[in-house]
Amino acid sequence: MTSPDHPRLLLVEDDAVSAAFLGEALRALPAQVVLAGDGAAALRALDAAAFDLWLVDAHLPDGDGIAALSAMRARRPGVVALAHTAARERSVAEALIAAGFAEVLVKPLSADALQAAVRRHLPGATGAGVPLWDDARAERALGGARHVSALRGLFHAELPGVRAEVEAAVRTGDGERLRGLLHRLRASCGFVGAARLEHAVAALHAAPDDPSALRTFLDAVEETLAAFTPVPDHG
C-alpha cells in the first residue's frame, strides 16, 4: 500500500453528485482520493501516480468501464478494481466481474457499504474478519434453508475438484481457464453463502499472479470444507 493509514484510491466517475458523495465517503475511511471524470483522465492519473485500488463507473463519457479497466490494467497490472453502476441487471454484474472487476457496487449505496467494500479489497486485507458462511444471504437467494442445505452439499462435494483445477491453471499460467473457474466459483459461493471463500476468490481473480492471493484462496477453501454444516431447517 502507498500508505498503511491512508491508502490512495482512484475514483473514476463523471457525475458530479455521485463523485461528491463517493469521494467524501472514501476520504472518511480515511483515504487519499483522486477523481477522474472519464477513462482518459484515469489513464493520465495512472501515469502520474500509483494507487492501491480503483473504483470505476460502468458508464463513462468516453466509453464503458470494461474498456477503461482494460486500458488501465495495460498501464498498471494487478491493481484491484471495483465497478460501480446504477444498473441492477444480473447480466451487467456478471459481465463486469468477467472483465476483471473484483466486486460490483450498485448505486445508490450507503457510505458504510462503500467503505466496507473498499476495506475488503485493499492490499493486505485477508478476509479473516469475513464470516465463513452467510446463512441469511443464501436463504434469500435460494428461498429457504432446505434448498441451501441441498446446494451446500453439492458445493462441498465439488469444491476439492475445483481447488485442484484452480491450482493447475495457476501452475500452467492458463489465465483464461483460471478466470473462468473463478467466475463460476464466485457465483456458487454467492448462492450458498460461502462468504469468506467468495472474498478470497475475488482477490485471486483481481491478482492471479500474486502468490499471497493464491495462498489466501487455498486457506479459505480448507476452512470452508472443514466448517461445512447443513443449514438448520426452521420451517
Side-chain angles (χ1 to χ4, degrees):
M1 237 188 285
T2 55
S3 168
D5 298 321
H6 294 80
R8 188 174 178 86
L9 311 178
L10 176 60
L11 174 62
V12 188
E13 170 63 72
D14 65 295
D15 179 73
V17 174
S18 293
F21 169 75
L22 296 173
E24 285 305 307
L26 294 170
R27 291 184 187 95
L29 277 167
Q32 304 173 59
V33 180
V34 172
L35 175 65
D38 55 26
L43 295 180
R44 291 194 295 272
L46 296 185
D47 287 338
F51 293 87
D52 297 299
L53 185 142
W54 306 329
L55 298 103
V56 182
D57 192 3
H59 298 284
L60 295 166
D62 56 354
D64 61 27
I66 291 175
L69 179 64
S70 178
M72 293 165 72
R73 284 264 165 83
R75 289 279 212 288
R76 302 269 187 172
V79 179
V80 175
L82 309 184
H84 47 97
T85 177
R88 297 182 177 274
E89 294 84 357
R90 182 173 176 178
S91 59
V92 173
E94 289 178 344
L96 291 165
I97 293 295
F101 286 99
E103 188 169 340
V104 178
L105 308 177
V106 178
K107 298 179 288 190
L109 74 164
S110 69
D112 287 344
L114 173 63
Q115 291 164 356
V118 170
R119 289 191 183 101
R120 282 197 296 273
H121 294 285
L122 282 172
T126 65
V130 179
L132 276 171
W133 298 105
D134 186 340
D135 293 341
R137 178 185 176 192
E139 289 183 28
R140 286 195 302 271
L142 297 174
R146 188 171 301 168
H147 298 298
V148 175
S149 290
L151 197 57
R152 276 191 188 170
L154 179 61
F155 179 80
H156 183 265
E158 293 185 345
L159 187 54
V162 176
R163 173 184 55 193
E165 291 186 76
V166 167
E167 288 186 283
V170 171
R171 185 171 59 253
T172 59
D174 189 343
E176 183 176 355
R177 173 66 172 158
L178 178 62
R179 286 190 296 273
L181 287 166
L182 295 176
H183 178 59
R184 291 191 294 274
L185 179 56
R186 186 172 183 190
S188 297
C189 288
F191 279 122
V192 302
R196 192 175 302 171
L197 179 56
E198 183 180 9
H199 178 278
V201 169
L204 182 57
H205 189 281
D209 298 323
D210 184 350
S212 66
L214 177 60
R215 183 69 263 163
T216 298
F217 165 78
L218 295 174
D219 288 345
V221 170
E222 288 302 317
E223 292 169 341
T224 302
L225 289 171
F228 169 73
T229 54
V231 177
D233 187 349
H234 302 295

